[in-house]
Amino acid sequence: MKNGKGLYLGDIQMRKTMFISMAFMVLVCTGCHSVSQEKSIESVVSEFFEADYEYRKVDIYFHGDTEFFSIVTEGKIIYSPYKEYRKIVESSGQSLWDEMYLSGNGKVVDAKMNSNNEWHDVKMSREYPYGYGEKLQFVLDREENADNRKLEVYAAEYTVDVSKNFRLEEELKAIVTQEYFLEKDSNTLVQIDTDLTDLNPKLFIANDISANGVALDIAQSHMEKESGLSEIVKLEILNYKGDIWIEVP
């Protein structure tokens, strides 16, 4: 049947259907585009590892399940050219230094270390946050609310070949487990918790073998007498990508 303009009613219905379908596709594609703009947890973490930021780091040492020593460090980092400032703000025991400045390029950098109100110039290996340079696979573990922020907590882990690093024949590998806290609204990393419970004892064993030439079983027996090898490191990320200023004295 034709309408007054010479079009079949079937043609009109078909055109309406096509218009609705095209409009729906536009809406869907627009939604897909907005989702694609949100960075993945992999991209967020990779970007963080090469960013400037301030931080508060808490190292907690355990003897069994009992916490017996902790140290709180505050600092700030300029990724490139590398500069870093660190200051111990709280410690339940003695520390080898009170504050320090680091700068330079490459694996070994210059450090000015303050201990008992005296400054010393030393060379140190440049340190990176745990997880840097590792092939991390993230699993969404849970969601939390903290300080009026919605957080996604991702679990990750990586393997450290301790034997390779110390050039040992004995096989020593350790698993480092981590949690990455992502603020959902800003899609920004705000904290990284790292469990070194498996790594530190194997580093002790490897160092004992390398430095003292003892056998693996002897090094293991020495390690079992040590306390404080279990360690949790909590890195709180502050002023991420802010204006960071560090003047090395």
Side-chain angles (χ1 to χ4, degrees):
M1 180 182 296
K2 293 185 179 181
N3 65 1
K5 294 183 180 180
L7 293 175
Y8 286 99
L9 292 179
D11 292 337
I12 295 174
Q13 186 65 34
M14 182 180 296
R15 291 185 183 187
K16 286 183 178 179
T17 302
M18 290 176 63
F19 176 81
I20 294 172
S21 298
M22 290 176 66
F24 178 75
M25 289 175 64
V26 169
L27 288 172
V28 170
C29 289
T30 302
C32 289
H33 178 71
S34 64
V35 171
S36 67
Q37 297 304 306
E38 186 172 295
K39 296 176 184 177
S40 66
I41 180 63
E42 290 82 3
S43 298
V44 171
V45 172
S46 178
E47 192 174 280
F48 160 73
F49 282 140
E50 298 183 358
D52 302 341
Y53 59 93
E54 298 180 32
Y55 65 85
R56 177 181 174 88
K57 183 163 69 78
V58 183
D59 291 78
I60 307 170
Y61 297 84
F62 297 86
H63 184 198
D65 295 329
T66 304
E67 176 185 332
F68 78 97
F69 179 74
S70 64
I71 183 168
V72 180
T73 307
E74 292 182 353
K76 46 190 175 180
I77 289 177
I78 297 174
Y79 179 77
S80 181
Y82 170 67
K83 289 183 180 180
E84 182 173 358
Y85 172 71
R86 304 174 187 168
K87 183 177 182 178
I88 294 176
V89 296
E90 185 179 333
S91 177
S92 58
Q94 280 192 324
S95 304
L96 296 177
W97 55 274
D98 302 309
E99 61 180 329
M100 69 170 69
Y101 293 85
L102 303 103
S103 61
N105 296 307
K107 295 181 179 179
V108 178
V109 297
D110 298 315
K112 287 184 175 292
M113 183 184 300
N114 188 316
S115 178
N116 297 321
N117 295 319
E118 292 185 4
W119 288 97
H120 306 277
D121 293 331
V122 297
K123 295 286 186 180
M124 293 182 61
S125 297
R126 178 174 176 177
E127 297 179 359
Y128 296 90
Y130 291 105
Y132 178 90
E134 304 293 342
K135 294 181 179 179
L136 301 172
Q137 293 186 340
F138 299 93
V139 176
L140 180 58
D141 183 68
R142 64 189 185 277
E143 294 188 359
E144 294 183 355
N145 290 316
D147 299 326
N148 295 320
R149 299 185 301 181
K150 294 181 179 180
L151 304 176
E152 291 181 341
V153 183
Y154 290 85
E157 66 177 34
Y158 60 93
T159 301
V160 177
D161 192 338
V162 179
S163 298
K164 182 179 179 181
N165 294 341
F166 280 81
R167 299 179 181 179
L168 301 178
E169 294 182 359
E170 296 83 355
E171 184 173 344
L172 286 171
K173 291 185 178 181
I175 302 295
V176 176
T177 59
Q178 295 186 292
E179 288 187 333
Y180 289 78
F181 295 75
L182 184 74
E183 186 181 54
K184 293 182 65 175
D185 291 341
S186 63
N187 204 37
T188 302
L189 197 65
V190 296
Q191 184 169 318
I192 304 174
D193 290 356
T194 304
D195 190 339
L196 303 176
T197 300
D198 191 42
L199 176 62
N200 283 358
K202 290 173 182 175
L203 289 175
F204 179 93
I205 292 170
N207 186 69
D208 197 8
I209 294 173
S210 179
N212 302 318
V214 300
L216 176 60
D217 58 340
I218 300 298
Q220 288 173 330
S221 67
H222 291 168
M223 182 272 296
E224 291 170 357
K225 298 176 183 178
E226 292 294 318
S227 62
L229 295 177
S230 296
E231 179 185 1
I232 303 294
V233 180
K234 297 179 177 291
L235 179 67
E236 183 180 357
I237 302 158
L238 309 168
N239 194 21
Y240 180 57
K241 291 186 178 180
D243 292 329
I244 308 297
W245 174 257
I246 301 173
E247 184 176 358
V248 180

